[in-house]
Each structure stands twice: as structure tokens, then as C-alpha cells.
Amino acid sequence: QVLLFVIPTQLQSVTHQALHRLFHTRSCLFVVLHILLEAAVYGEYTWEVFVYCWELQFHLLLLLLPYLLLAGNVGCFLLCSRADPGIITKSNHASVVKVYAYDGVLFQKGILCPTCNMEKPARSKHCSFCGVCVQRVDHHCVWLNNCIGARNARYFLLYLCTLTAMAAAITTISAALLRHLVLLSGMLRGTYLDEQGHEQPVEIFFLVQHLFLTFPRIVFMLGFVILLTLVLGAYSCFHLYLALTNQTSNEWCKSRRSHQQTLQPHDRQVVYKNIYSRGVWMNLKEIFKPPTLLERKKK
């Protein structure tokens, strides 16, 4: 009976450790996937879209815009993924803990990080992927294989903006190419025979089907980058909102939970007040020039 009890316990422990290593360790898997997706999109853009547009005498600067955005995006990617996000160590803990005040709601004084065995500074969080506490932590980005914190938030915001602009530029150029080809072919003025043998004017569904059969890779890529533009655009707007209001994703989620859990009499919710916001301009300045203890003392 003792053996039957011990073996399942050991199996549970081994399984838990394996899952912990799988989901709570830094991995380059998503970085590689990210690079492959960009390579596939730019390969198709270069191989077909650029060539067709060049033959149709599209402006060269317009055709080169996605490559210029790619160069800027790669630069932001390298800076954001390799930069120190604001790792809190025993040597800098005393100064970091004084940069931001505790708001008493989301961040309480005297709470220890059980892993790092240090008091958590306000606006900090322990990252289970990196195994460290990070100052003004936003989230751990698997696509960059790094935490987003006080020291690299500016690079992450620029990375998101350039990535969205890349997708939007390729979407615009590819859509303009297909529109140009449709107009040149005069297909909009044509007709086709339906299943009953009746002559019908060309409709959108027939047009899309024809384009997909004629230029399948361009149409498939266009659908992908349109979806990517919408998703990245929404995500970029959300992070721009966080930057303008001096919040992080971590704080935004915690404040939403605080609204739901803390209630006043007569079911009135407690309104959380963000004490870190100091106006749009100063909030943006804090993103691009993270405050230090010395700067805080001067104010």
C-alpha cells in the first residue's frame, strides 16, 4: 500500500517538473516561427508582388517601403529581445524599490518574492519564464523571448508599430496590384454563365474566385496580412493606450480584477485610481526615458 501511494506521487512530481520545464522556460521556438512567417510573407512579396508592380510601373519608393519598415522592425526586434528589461538584483534592489511608490491596492509594501527572496518593488513582478523579478513589468513576450519591462518598453512599442506598418504596407500594395490587374483585364464589364446557362454580370464572389485561381499565393498572402494588420493594429492601439495612461498589461489586468472583487455597500464598485499617470506627455517620456531614483528625487 505504501508503494502504491509513493509511485503515483512520484509520477505526479515528475509530470509537474516536466510541464514546468516546458511552459516556464525561455524557448526560441516562437522566435523561429516569427522569422519563418516574415520570411514567407516577404518571399512572396518579392517573388510576385514586387515583380508585377514593377512591370506595371508602380512608384519605386512605395515598393521599397515594406523593406524599409522591415529594417526598422528587425532593429527594434534585436534591441527589445537583447536588452535588459529591468532585472531586479540584490545590488540594485535598494534603489529600484524607491523609484515608484506603493499604491496600496495593486502593490502592497512588504510582500516578498518567494523565488528571489526579496521585497517586491512597486510595479514589479516575478517572471517564471526568465526566473527573475522585473521592474515595471508588462508581460513576457514569447515572440521576442524576453520580458517587456521598464528598460525595453520603448523598443517593444516601436517594434509593434513597425510590425503593424509592415503588414499594412504589404496589404495596401498587394490589394492595389490586384485592383490594377482587374481594371486592366476589363473583367468588371464582363459576364459569365451560371449553372443554369444564364448569362450573369461579374460579381464580387466570382471575381475573388477568379483571382484566387489565377494568383493563389498573392490572394492567400493578402488574406493573411489583412488579418495580421487588424490583429496587430488592435494590439498596438491597446499598448499605445497603456503608454499614454502610464499602465502596463499586468497592471491593467490586475485593476480589472480589483474592480470585480472589491465592492462597496449597495453594490457600488471601488474606482481604482492610477497614481502613476502624470499626463500624456510625461507618460510617453517615461516610456522612452525610464525614471531613475535620482530623477525622482529632483521632482
Side-chain angles (χ1 to χ4, degrees), residues 2-292:
V2 174
L3 288 175
L4 289 175
F5 175 76
V6 171
I7 292 175
T9 304
Q10 291 176 342
L11 287 174
Q12 290 176 3
S13 177
V14 171
T15 304
H16 180 269
Q17 292 175 2
L19 291 173
H20 181 81
R21 288 193 298 269
L22 179 62
F23 294 105
H24 292 83
T25 55
R26 296 184 64 176
S27 171
C28 293
L29 175 63
F30 286 94
V31 176
V32 174
L33 181 59
H34 170 224
I35 295 172
L36 289 177
L37 287 174
E38 281 195 354
V41 170
Y42 270 87
E44 176 58 25
Y45 174 79
T46 304
W47 184 257
E48 287 199 287
V49 176
F50 186 93
V51 173
Y52 284 129
C53 289
W54 179 255
E55 292 176 353
L56 293 172
Q57 298 182 343
F58 277 54
H59 199 286
L60 180 60
L61 184 59
L62 176 65
L63 298 180
L64 293 178
L65 180 59
Y67 299 107
L68 298 176
L69 291 170
L70 176 63
N73 182 256
V74 170
C76 294
F77 172 84
L78 293 175
L79 287 171
C80 194
S81 60
R82 298 177 65 87
D84 174 14
I87 297 175
I88 302 172
T89 62
K90 292 184 178 180
S91 59
N92 66 10
H93 178 269
S95 59
V96 171
V97 78
K98 297 177 182 178
V99 173
Y100 292 110
Y102 293 93
D103 63 0
V105 180
L106 302 184
F107 305 103
Q108 306 283 347
K109 190 174 183 180
I111 297 179
L112 295 178
C113 172
T115 305
C116 300
N117 197 25
M118 294 186 296
E119 182 183 8
K120 288 184 177 182
R123 312 192 78 181
S124 70
K125 187 176 183 292
H126 183 84
C127 175
S128 56
F129 291 90
C130 300
V132 293
C133 284
V134 179
Q135 180 188 9
R136 198 187 182 276
V137 67
D138 191 276
H139 69 288
H140 180 92
C141 181
V142 294
W143 300 102
L144 295 168
N145 201 23
N146 197 9
C147 276
I148 308 303
R151 301 298 170 186
N152 62 353
R154 56 189 183 275
Y155 303 136
F156 181 71
L157 191 60
L158 293 174
Y159 166 77
L160 277 183
C161 291
T162 52
L163 194 61
T164 304
M166 282 166 47
I170 294 178
T171 297
T172 303
I173 296 171
S174 301
L177 169 63
L178 293 179
R179 177 181 177 276
H180 201 77
L181 292 173
V182 168
L183 292 176
L184 285 177
S185 67
M187 190 181 303
L188 292 176
R189 298 187 299 272
T191 59
Y192 71 98
L193 296 178
D194 60 16
E195 296 178 351
Q196 287 75 31
H198 299 144
E199 191 174 9
Q200 300 288 345
V202 172
E203 300 172 347
I204 295 297
F205 178 77
F206 179 86
L207 185 62
V208 172
Q209 186 180 34
H210 173 77
L211 289 173
F212 186 79
L213 293 174
T214 310
F215 308 101
R217 293 196 299 269
I218 295 179
V219 174
F220 182 80
M221 182 198 71
L222 178 59
F224 176 73
V225 292
I226 287 175
L227 178 62
L228 203 61
T229 302
L230 295 175
V231 173
L232 289 174
Y235 194 55
S236 298
C237 289
F238 173 66
H239 273 275
L240 183 59
Y241 160 76
L242 293 178
L244 294 175
T245 56
N246 204 331
Q247 297 182 81
T248 65
S249 297
N250 177 52
E251 293 166 3
W252 185 84
C253 292
K254 290 175 72 173
S255 65
R256 301 284 83 75
R257 290 196 297 267
S258 175
H259 286 326
Q260 295 173 0
Q261 295 174 0
T262 310
L263 298 176
Q264 291 274 359
H266 308 295
D267 294 334
R268 293 180 59 190
Q269 293 186 352
V270 174
V271 178
Y272 166 71
K273 181 176 176 58
N274 180 15
I275 67 170
Y276 306 113
S277 180
R278 297 178 295 139
V280 172
W281 172 249
M282 294 303 296
N283 292 341
L284 279 177
K285 183 179 178 182
E286 186 169 312
I287 291 290
F288 289 92
K289 187 181 178 183
T292 61

